[in-house]
Amino acid sequence: MDATVLARIQFATNISFHILFPAITIGLAWILLFFRLRFTFTGNRAWEYAYFFWVKVFALTFALGVVSGITMSFQFGTNWPGFMEKAGNVAGPLLGYEVLSAFFLEASFLGIMLFGKHRVSNRIHLVSTFLVAFGTTLSAFWILALNSWMQTPDGTHMEAGRVVVDNWWAVIFNPSFPYRFLHMLTASFLTAAFLIAGVSAWRARRGVDGPGTWQVMRTGVFLAAILAPAQIFIGDLHGLNTLAHQPAKVAAMEAVWDTERGVPFTLFAWPDEATRSNRMAVEIPYAASLILKHDPQGEVRGLNEFRGQHPPVAMVFWSFRVMLAMGGLMLLVAWWGAWSLRGQRRAGPSLLLALSAMTFAGWVAVLAGWYVTEIGRQPWIVSGLLRVEDVVADHASATVAGTLLGYGLLYGFLLVSYIGALRHMATRPAASLALGPARLVPQAGKPA
Amino acid sequence: MEFWLPIIYMAAMGLALLIYVILDGYDLGVGMLIPLADEREKDVMIASIGPFWDANETWIVLGVGILLIAFPTAHGIVLSHLYLPVTFMLMGLILRGVAFDLRVKAGDHRRRLWNNAFFAGSLIASVSQGWMLGAYITGLSTTVAGLLFPLLIALTLPALYLLLGSGWLIMKTEGDLQARSLDWARAAVLPMGVGLLLVSVATPLVSPAIAGKWFSLPNFLYLAPIPLITAGSYLAILRVLARDLRPGRAEWHLFGLTVLICVTASLGLAYSLFPDVIIGRMTIWEASASVNALLFTLVGVAMTLPMIIGYTVIVYRIFHGKAGELRYD
C-alpha cells in the first residue's frame, strides 16, 4: 500500500485512540470538582462516595490520555516531518504553550489530587482538583487552536515554502476556533455525562449500586438533558462557519455534487465518486438549503466546483450521519431520563437499560465528528496552503505497516483492558474503593 | 537575536532532557526493579513514584517540544531517523503508564499480568532511549560502527536508570527493601560505568572537530573539571556502595552522586555538540525557526517555567519522606 495512506492510517489510529480519553477527562474533571464541592457544602456522604469512585476512573482514563498523547507529540515528527518543517512556525509555539501551560499543571496537581488527601488541607485539595480541571481545558484550548488553524488558517503568509506568522492573535483565534473549541468542550461534557449515567445505570441494574450511585446518575442525565440540545445548536453554528470557510467539506458532508438552489437533505445514499452521483438516495426536499442557508431556495456549492481538491465523499458523508444520529439519540435518551428522574423519582428498568447501552455513546459521536472534520480537510494538511502528500516521511511501507500493526494490537488490548477495569470497578466498588470513615471531612480547626 | 535565540533554546532543550533523564530515570529504574521484589514491596515501590511519574514524563514532551519549536528542520530529520526506537519507546511508555493503574484496578486475577507489563514497559522504554542516545551521538550514522554503538548504549543506559532507581528507593524506603535496593545498586554500577566510558570515548572519535575541541590547550585545562568530577563521583559511588547502610547515615548520597554524574556528563556532551544540533550535519542556526516564532514562545517560557519549577518543588515537598502503603484515594 502507498506509504502516505499508511502514514495517515497510522496517525488516524493513534489520534482516534488518544481522543477517547481526553474526551472523558476534560468533562469528568469538572464533574469531579462538582462532587467535591457538593460534599464540602452539604456534608452528604453520597457525594464523597461519588468522588471516590469516579476519581479512580479519572486517574485511569487520564493515564491513558497522557501516554497516548506522548505518542502524538512524537508522531508529528516521525510521520509528518514536512509539516513541522513548513508549518513549524505555527505548530511549534502552539504545542509548546500547551506543554508549558497545561501539561505540567495537570500532571503535577494530579499527584496531589490522587495521593495527597492525607497530606494537604481540604482547601489545597480542592484547589488542586480545580487546577487539574483547568489544565485539561487549557490543553484543549491550545491543541484546538492549532487544529483550527490547520482548518482555517489566518494571520500567516507563505515565504519560500514556509509559513510565517504575521499576527499571533489571528492565528490562535482563527475563524473556526471559537466554534470548534465550544463544540469539543460540550462534546466532552456529554461524553462524561453519558459515561457516569451509563455506569451508574449498569450498577443499578446489577443491584451493586452504592450510596452515591443515584446522585451520579441524576447528575449525568440532567447535565446531558441541558447540553444535548445546546450541542445541536453549537453544531449548527459550527456547520455554518465551515460552509463559509471550507465549502468543499460541507459539500462532501451533504454529498451535493452540483451547485444548486433548493438542495434536498440526503438521509441515506451511497455517494459514488466514479459516476459523481448518489446511488439509492433517500432525500428530504429543500432541507439541506434550509439547514445550511436557513432558506429553502438557498444555493449550495457542489463538489464538482472543487474537482481534485475535495475530500473522499462517502467517508465524510457517513461519518456526519453517524454523528447526527448519535446526537439525536443522546437528546432523546437524556430528555426521557430527565423526565423520568424528575423530583427524586427512580428510573424504571427500560430507562436503566437505555442509559447503560448509551455508556459510550459520546465516544461514537466524538470519533464520527472528528472524522468529518479531519477527513473533510483532505487533501490539505493546512487548508489551501499545504498538501498532505507533500509533508509525509519517506519510510518504507513495510516499516509503517509493521509499526501500525503493533500499535493496533496494543490499542485493541488496552481498550479491552480499560473497559474491563471499568466493569470490575463498577461491579465491586467496595473492594476497589477501600473506604475508610470520614476521609474527606475537614479537619477540626481548619476551614473547609 | 538571531544569534542568541537558538542558543537559549538549545540550553533550554538540554536542561529539559537532563531533568527528564534524572526524573523519569529513577521511576523507569524502579519499574525495572519490580520483578525482584515481593508483593508488598512492589506496592511500596510503586507508591514511592506514584505522585511523580506523570509530571516526570512530561519533561520529555517538553524536550521534544523545544526541538520542534526551535529547530523544526532537525526535529523532522532526527525523529524520522529514530523512527523505530521512538516507536518502541512509545509502546513501552504506554504499557507502563497504563499498567501503573491497571495493576490495582483490573482485579487481583490480572495483577501479575500488569506487574509484568509494568516491568516490560519500563525496560523497553529504557533500552529504546539508550538506542536513541547512541544513534544521536554517532550523528545518525548508518555505518556498521554507527549501528553497533547504539546497541551498546541501549544495553548500558538502563544501568544508569537502575542506579537512579535504587538510589531513589534507598531514600524513600526502609528496612529490608532499603537493604535490597543497595544490593541492586551494587549490581548496576559496573555496567553503568562502562556505558559512561563508552560515551566519553566515542564522542571525540565521531568527529575530529569534537576531538580538537577537547584535546587542545588551553581548552583541555579549562575542561578538566568535567571528567574529573565525573570520575570522582563514580569513585565516591563505589565507596558508598562498599559499606552497608546504618541508621543515622545519610541516605541521599547514592542518588545525589548519580545525579551529579548525569549533570557533568550532559555538560560534556553539550560542549561536544555545540553548535551542532545534529553532529556534523546541521548547526542550531541552520535548523532554527523564525525569530518571530521563537520570541512568541520565549514569553511563554519565561512566564511558565518558574511556575513549573515552583509547583514541582511543592509536590516533592508534600510527598517528602518515606513512602507508605499504596492507596489510591
Side-chain angles (χ1 to χ4, degrees):
Chain A
M1 203 191 274
D2 177 21
T4 306
V5 176
L6 278 171
R8 277 183 58 197
I9 294 174
Q10 185 178 70
F11 198 76
T13 305
N14 282 302
I15 207 157
S16 299
F17 181 72
H18 172 68
I19 194 64
L20 299 177
F21 305 104
I24 291 174
T25 51
I26 297 167
L28 189 55
W30 292 105
I31 293 173
L32 282 172
L33 183 65
F34 171 75
F35 291 164
R36 283 285 279 112
L37 288 169
R38 281 303 289 260
F39 173 67
T40 302
F41 288 119
T42 65
N44 182 349
R45 291 290 298 276
W47 294 109
E48 187 190 23
Y49 283 98
Y51 175 81
F52 275 134
F53 180 83
W54 284 100
V55 79
K56 289 184 170 55
V57 177
F58 179 79
L60 176 62
T61 315
F62 193 89
L64 275 152
V66 168
V67 291
S68 56
I70 293 177
T71 311
M72 302 309 315
S73 74
F74 278 88
Q75 276 198 345
F76 290 126
T78 52
N79 290 34
W80 314 111
F83 174 64
M84 285 310 159
E85 221 180 299
K86 291 166 183 158
N89 282 332
V90 170
L94 295 184
L95 290 170
Y97 269 90
E98 183 180 11
V99 177
L100 289 163
S101 67
F103 285 1
F104 279 106
L105 191 72
E106 41 185 11
S108 300
F109 286 96
L110 184 72
I112 302 179
M113 183 177 164
L114 296 182
F115 302 102
K117 204 159 310 116
H118 312 287
R119 289 176 180 255
V120 299
S121 67
N122 188 48
R123 183 194 301 237
I124 300 278
H125 192 259
L126 267 174
V127 170
S128 302
T129 310
F130 166 78
L131 287 174
V132 170
F134 180 71
T136 55
T137 309
L138 197 59
S139 171
F141 174 91
W142 291 111
I143 198 69
L144 289 176
L146 173 56
N147 181 275
S148 300
W149 178 83
M150 290 163 68
Q151 304 279 352
T152 55
D154 196 11
T156 55
H157 70 273
M158 295 295 280
E159 208 173 281
R162 288 178 188 223
V163 176
V164 176
V165 176
D166 307 308
N167 179 347
W168 279 105
W169 187 266
V171 167
I172 295 170
F173 296 95
N174 61 74
S176 65
F177 172 68
Y179 302 98
R180 185 168 285 104
F181 184 53
L182 213 56
H183 201 40
M184 182 63 207
L185 283 191
T186 314
S188 177
F189 273 96
L190 275 171
T191 306
F194 273 94
L195 177 75
I196 63 173
V199 170
S200 304
W202 189 83
R203 291 179 62 187
R205 267 165 53 81
R206 282 262 178 142
V208 289
D209 46 330
T213 307
W214 284 84
Q215 271 89 340
V216 173
M217 198 194 308
R218 304 172 66 80
T219 307
V221 166
F222 286 114
L223 191 61
I226 297 165
L227 289 181
Q231 181 71 324
I232 292 170
F233 177 69
I234 296 166
D236 180 51
L237 292 179
H238 192 11
L240 294 179
N241 175 268
T242 309
L243 183 67
H245 295 275
Q246 296 173 289
K249 185 193 284 184
V250 174
M253 282 156 66
E254 304 294 4
V256 177
W257 297 93
D258 296 308
T259 304
E260 283 175 311
R261 296 189 166 277
V263 179
F265 181 84
T266 309
L267 277 178
F268 177 94
W270 187 253
D272 186 347
E273 288 196 49
T275 61
R276 300 193 77 76
S277 63
N278 294 333
R279 285 197 260 161
M280 297 175 285
V282 181
E283 298 171 336
I284 307 175
Y286 303 108
S289 284
L290 196 62
I291 293 168
L292 292 167
K293 295 288 186 173
H294 294 188
D295 165 16
Q297 285 303 330
E299 185 184 82
V300 178
R301 294 170 73 190
L303 289 157
N304 290 334
E305 277 195 42
F306 311 98
R307 269 181 189 265
Q309 311 251 349
H310 68 70
V313 183
M315 283 168 88
V316 175
F317 176 85
W318 275 108
S319 301
F320 186 54
R321 264 136 203 82
V322 169
M323 184 189 76
L324 289 184
M326 282 319 292
L329 204 56
M330 287 162 97
L331 179 72
L332 283 178
V333 173
W335 278 5
W336 173 26
W339 176 254
S340 308
L341 292 170
R342 71 190 190 282
Q344 302 302 322
R345 285 177 178 76
R346 292 244 157 171
S350 49
L351 177 61
L352 290 182
L353 180 65
L355 283 174
S356 48
M358 295 282 282
T359 304
F360 297 105
W363 276 3
V364 179
V366 164
L367 281 181
W370 276 106
Y371 289 158
V372 172
T373 203
E374 294 295 272
I375 300 173
R377 192 191 56 229
Q378 304 297 326
W380 304 100
I381 191 161
V382 180
S383 294
L385 298 181
L386 288 174
R387 280 174 171 268
V388 171
E389 65 209 30
D390 296 332
V391 301
V392 70
D394 57 347
H395 300 299
S397 291
T399 313
V400 184
T403 51
L404 174 61
L405 183 70
Y407 279 121
L409 289 173
L410 182 62
Y411 290 162
F413 171 61
L414 291 182
L415 207 55
V416 170
S417 303
Y418 176 77
I419 294 172
L422 215 57
R423 202 185 153 90
H424 178 76
M425 282 190 272
T427 318
R428 303 219 244 130
S432 57
L433 279 172
L435 278 175
R439 279 283 164 70
L440 272 175
V441 175
Q443 288 152 343
K446 279 190 182 168
Chain B
M1 273 299 147
E2 278 185 29
F3 177 75
W4 283 107
L5 278 172
I7 296 181
I8 293 170
Y9 275 93
M10 191 70 189
M13 183 171 82
L15 187 67
L17 291 176
L18 170 63
I19 294 176
Y20 173 77
V21 165
I22 295 169
L23 295 184
D24 215 29
Y26 79 70
D27 69 51
L28 285 168
V30 170
M32 286 186 282
L33 291 168
I34 281 286
L36 302 176
D38 65 37
E39 272 316 302
R40 199 194 55 80
E41 289 174 338
K42 283 188 174 76
D43 279 354
V44 177
M45 288 163 75
I46 290 188
S48 82
I49 57 175
F52 310 110
W53 75 271
D54 192 349
N56 292 350
E57 264 180 20
T58 308
W59 288 97
I60 198 172
V61 181
L62 181 64
V64 174
I66 296 176
L67 179 63
L68 159 66
I69 296 162
F71 313 107
T73 319
H75 177 266
I77 296 175
V78 172
L79 287 191
S80 46
H81 243 277
L82 300 179
Y83 185 79
L84 279 181
V86 164
T87 304
F88 287 130
M89 176 190 78
L90 292 172
M91 288 180 180
L93 289 179
I94 290 171
L95 211 51
R96 77 186 287 272
V98 173
F100 188 89
D101 266 289
L102 283 174
R103 65 182 287 281
V104 287
K105 290 180 185 167
D108 290 338
H109 58 298
R110 293 266 180 270
R111 206 179 171 96
R112 264 189 59 168
L113 169 76
W114 290 111
N115 278 337
N116 291 337
F118 189 65
F119 162 74
S122 305
L123 181 68
I124 294 169
S126 309
V127 169
S128 311
Q129 286 174 9
W131 181 357
M132 289 157 67
L133 177 68
Y136 181 70
I137 289 176
T138 59
L140 308 175
S141 142
T142 44
T143 60
V144 177
L147 294 176
L148 274 178
F149 183 72
L151 192 68
L152 280 172
I153 304 301
L155 295 175
T156 48
L157 187 74
L160 170 69
Y161 290 174
L162 284 171
L163 205 57
L164 281 167
S166 32
W168 175 257
L169 289 175
I170 289 171
M171 292 193 296
K172 300 295 279 186
T173 65
E174 300 162 294
D176 277 354
L177 180 56
Q178 194 188 34
R180 297 178 66 187
S181 304
L182 189 70
D183 287 335
W184 297 334
R186 285 170 179 151
V189 72
L190 194 67
M192 178 269 197
V194 172
L196 191 63
L197 202 65
L198 278 174
V199 174
S200 314
V201 172
T203 28
L205 290 178
V206 171
S207 98
I210 296 178
K213 279 202 283 188
W214 282 91
F215 302 109
S216 63
L217 290 170
N219 292 13
F220 188 70
L221 295 177
Y222 297 143
L223 294 168
I226 291 178
L228 286 179
I229 294 174
T230 311
S233 307
Y234 191 76
L235 291 176
I237 287 176
L238 291 180
R239 237 177 86 93
V240 169
L241 292 181
R243 301 190 213 158
D244 282 330
L245 285 161
R246 267 187 305 257
R249 284 261 304 276
E251 291 166 336
W252 57 270
H253 284 172
L254 175 61
F255 190 75
L257 287 164
T258 316
V259 168
L260 190 60
I261 289 184
C262 293
V263 173
T264 52
S266 58
L267 279 177
L269 197 58
Y271 176 75
S272 296
L273 283 173
F274 188 81
D276 288 358
V277 67
I278 305 175
I279 298 183
R281 283 214 220 171
M282 191 181 280
T283 69
I284 55 173
W285 296 288
E286 287 164 356
S288 170
S290 76
V291 169
N292 171 312
L294 293 184
L295 277 177
F296 176 70
T297 315
L298 198 61
V299 177
V301 174
M303 285 192 305
T304 53
L305 207 56
M307 282 165 64
I308 292 170
I309 291 170
Y311 52 67
T312 302
V313 171
I314 292 175
V315 170
Y316 275 84
R317 282 179 65 109
I318 288 176
F319 294 101
H320 86 282
K322 301 291 181 188
E325 57 170 314
L326 184 70
R327 49 205 298 178
Y328 283 83
D329 55 341

